[in-house]
């Protein structure tokens, strides 16, 4: 009798080959077991002004729906929390082979700014999102810092499964961010005091309803108002003693040169801005003591004045990629807008059109 020692290293490859010939999806036989198949979803947020994927850092929740070509809901999934911050995050689906349309809304979990019509739609047309507002003096007002709202859509995705080979396919969403942070700064340059109560700022726009494809639906006019107002004094390094101590007026040197500038900073959030609505979104700066608007401009037109600094892209692409705007207005000694002095938009100096009425 000959006893075979299976610890003999020369026999291990032969034994492994024999095992593969009798089991698994690569064996040569007519009776194959199906190989693993998986359709998974990956999210990217690189549709921004930096052209860099910020998904891991910004997006806190995802909701996804898959629909068949005849419009029926085939599957929906969700995820949130720390798992989204992992570079290896994917959302696995149980979908079988076929053709699908995918819709995603991201950032809805714990979002006090938006409501989804339903999380269990029968068709994708039901996936509408509405901005939350409160009524003030007959106006629909949004005065909170809006959490990020992101949208993505993939159509006609073909998922095919090869039963003889492992199949892992990926649907990639490139997300678009709808919400915008807009800071409006007022600077008094002539030595006049400036008080929090002196001015108020608002943006009006009818962008409170979103369709499943992220287009705007008919909406009441929304009055976006600041979620924070801050007073400050900007000083130069060689100011006289006491500069920057919270004084309500500008400080000057002995030669009369202004060395400190009093400012008011208004922080607002809005929804998606549309290039086709260039005259609809209105930024208003109101002088409170005599109930007069000193600035009333088409916001989108002005924001697009600096688009050329960000590459050769369309107006709409710029508005969708840019989610952070800063606008500086200069106020003269009579507390009027010194429009001839220009303004700064995202640190770019702009001389605005002089023929636009307030």
């Amino acid at each position: 009798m000959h006893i075979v020692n299976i610890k003999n290293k020369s026999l291990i490859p032969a034994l492994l080959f024999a095992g593969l010939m009798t089991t698994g999806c690569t064996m040569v036989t007519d009776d194959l077991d199906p190989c693993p198949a998986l359709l998974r979803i990956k999210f990217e947020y690189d549709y921004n002004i930096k052209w860099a994927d910020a998904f891991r850092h910004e997006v806190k929740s995802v909701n996804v729906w898959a629909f068949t070509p005849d419009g029926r809901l085939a599957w929906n999934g969700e995820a949130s929390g720390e798992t989204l911050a992992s570079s290896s995050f994917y959302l696995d689906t149980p979908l079988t082979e076929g053709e699908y349309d995918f819709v995603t809304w991201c950032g809805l979990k714990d979002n006090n700014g938006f409501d989804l019509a339903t999380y269990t739609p029968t068709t994708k047309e039901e996936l509408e999102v509405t901005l939350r507002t409160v009524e003030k003096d007959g106006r629909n007002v949004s005065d909170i810092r809006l959490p990020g709202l992101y949208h993505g859509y993939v159509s006609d995705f073909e998922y095919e499964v090869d039963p003889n080979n492992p199949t892992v396919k990926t649907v990639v969403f490139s997300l678009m961010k709808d919400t915008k942070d807009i800071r409006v700064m007022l600077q008094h340059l002539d030595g006049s005091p400036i008080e929090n109560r002196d001015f108020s700022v608002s943006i009006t726009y009818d962008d409170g309803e979103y369709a499943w494809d992220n287009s705007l639906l008919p909406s009441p006019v929304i009055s976006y108002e600041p979620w924070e107002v801050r007073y400050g004094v900007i000083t130069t390094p060689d100011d006289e003693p006491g500069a920057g101590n919270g004084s309500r007026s500008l400080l000057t040197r002995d030669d009369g040169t202004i060395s400190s500038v009093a400012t008011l900073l208004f922080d607002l959030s809005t929804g998606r801005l549309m290039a086709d609505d260039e005259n609809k979104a209105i930024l208003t700066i109101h002088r409170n003591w005599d109930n007069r608007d000193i600035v009333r401009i088409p916001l989108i037109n002005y924001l697009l004045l600096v688009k050329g600094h960000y590459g050769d892209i369309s107006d709409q692409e710029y508005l969708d990629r840019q989610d952070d705007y800063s606008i500086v207005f200069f106020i003269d000694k009579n507390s009027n807008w010194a429009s001839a002095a220009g303004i700064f938009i995202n640190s770019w100096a702009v001389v605005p059109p002089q023929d636009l009425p307030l």
Side-chain angles (χ1 to χ4, degrees):
M1 178 182 295
H2 296 281
I3 299 176
V4 179
N5 181 3
I6 63 173
K7 293 183 180 179
N8 188 326
K9 295 183 179 179
S10 65
L11 295 178
I12 293 177
L15 292 172
L16 290 175
F17 179 76
L20 290 175
M21 293 295 292
T22 56
T23 62
C25 60
T26 57
M27 62 185 176
V28 181
T29 174
D30 292 333
D31 187 18
L32 293 175
D33 292 331
C35 287
L38 176 65
L39 180 63
R40 62 185 185 180
I41 296 175
K42 179 177 175 59
F43 301 86
E44 297 176 349
Y45 172 46
D46 55 5
Y47 198 78
N48 53 56
I49 206 63
K50 294 181 179 179
W51 279 264
D53 186 7
F55 176 82
R56 295 169 54 193
H57 306 287
E58 290 200 23
V59 182
K60 307 305 179 185
S61 68
V62 297
N63 289 88
V64 187
W65 298 265
F67 298 89
T68 59
D70 60 1
R72 294 180 297 104
L73 178 66
W75 169 81
N76 67 282
E78 62 180 90
S80 61
E82 295 181 0
T83 183
L84 273 64
S86 169
S87 59
S88 60
F89 170 71
Y90 292 88
L91 187 61
D92 294 340
T93 83
L95 293 170
T96 57
E97 63 179 342
E99 181 179 322
Y100 299 98
D101 292 339
F102 293 89
V103 179
T104 184
W105 285 107
C106 301
L108 287 172
K109 185 177 177 61
D110 299 325
N111 191 321
N112 62 342
F114 296 91
D115 290 310
L116 182 67
T118 177
Y119 284 85
T120 55
T122 56
T123 66
K124 57 178 175 284
E125 286 74 18
E126 297 176 25
L127 291 173
E128 297 179 0
V129 170
T130 302
L131 175 75
R132 294 183 188 176
T133 61
V134 295
E135 186 176 344
K136 293 182 180 180
D137 302 322
R139 296 172 296 119
N140 299 296
V141 174
S142 174
D143 59 0
I144 65 171
R145 185 172 190 178
L146 295 174
L149 177 68
Y150 307 80
H151 175 270
Y153 176 55
V154 176
S155 63
D156 304 324
F157 185 89
E158 292 279 357
Y159 176 41
E160 297 179 351
V161 176
D162 183 351
N164 298 321
N165 291 292
T167 304
V168 178
K169 290 194 174 182
T170 304
V171 182
V172 180
F173 279 107
S174 179
L175 301 178
M176 178 185 295
K177 187 176 183 180
D178 286 340
T179 45
K180 314 295 178 184
D181 288 326
I182 299 178
R183 284 174 299 280
V184 178
M185 177 180 285
L186 308 185
Q187 288 192 359
H188 256 183
L189 299 180
D190 62 353
S192 303
I194 188 169
E195 300 279 354
N196 290 15
R197 63 176 179 269
D198 289 347
F199 300 96
S200 56
V201 173
S202 66
I203 297 169
T204 54
Y205 190 28
D206 57 349
D207 64 341
E209 301 280 346
Y210 298 81
W212 65 273
D213 61 355
N214 208 30
S215 61
L216 295 187
L217 296 170
S219 162
V221 173
I222 310 299
S223 180
Y224 294 101
E225 299 183 355
W227 49 267
E228 186 173 31
V229 180
R230 289 174 282 171
Y231 170 81
V233 174
I234 300 174
T235 62
T236 57
D238 55 348
D239 279 337
E240 62 190 46
N245 63 0
S247 170
R248 291 291 179 170
S249 63
L250 302 183
L251 299 177
T252 59
R253 299 189 182 96
D254 292 338
D255 62 2
T257 303
I258 295 174
S259 61
S260 296
V261 181
T263 66
L264 279 179
L265 182 62
F266 301 83
D267 289 296
L268 305 92
S269 294
T270 74
R272 190 182 182 194
L273 303 174
M274 304 298 293
D276 292 343
D277 293 341
E278 57 185 14
N279 293 315
K280 282 188 173 182
I282 303 298
L283 169 63
T284 301
I285 300 176
H286 190 76
R287 196 169 60 203
N288 294 328
W289 70 77
D290 61 354
N291 197 31
R292 181 174 181 268
D293 295 339
I294 65 167
V295 174
R296 186 174 176 81
I297 60 172
L299 173 65
I300 293 172
N301 273 339
Y302 273 68
L303 296 180
L304 290 173
L305 290 175
V306 300
K307 184 200 72 172
H309 297 289
Y310 296 89
D312 185 16
I313 56 179
S314 70
D315 290 352
Q316 190 58 56
E317 182 175 350
Y318 172 70
L319 293 172
D320 286 332
R321 284 185 177 272
Q322 181 68 270
D323 70 332
D324 194 5
Y325 299 94
S326 296
I327 312 173
V328 180
F329 294 90
F330 302 110
I331 306 301
D332 65 19
K333 63 181 180 180
N334 298 315
S335 292
N336 291 315
W337 176 27
S339 60
I343 60 177
F344 282 85
I345 301 176
N346 285 5
S347 299
W348 297 102
V350 174
V351 177
Q354 299 297 302
D355 55 351
L356 293 177
L358 295 180

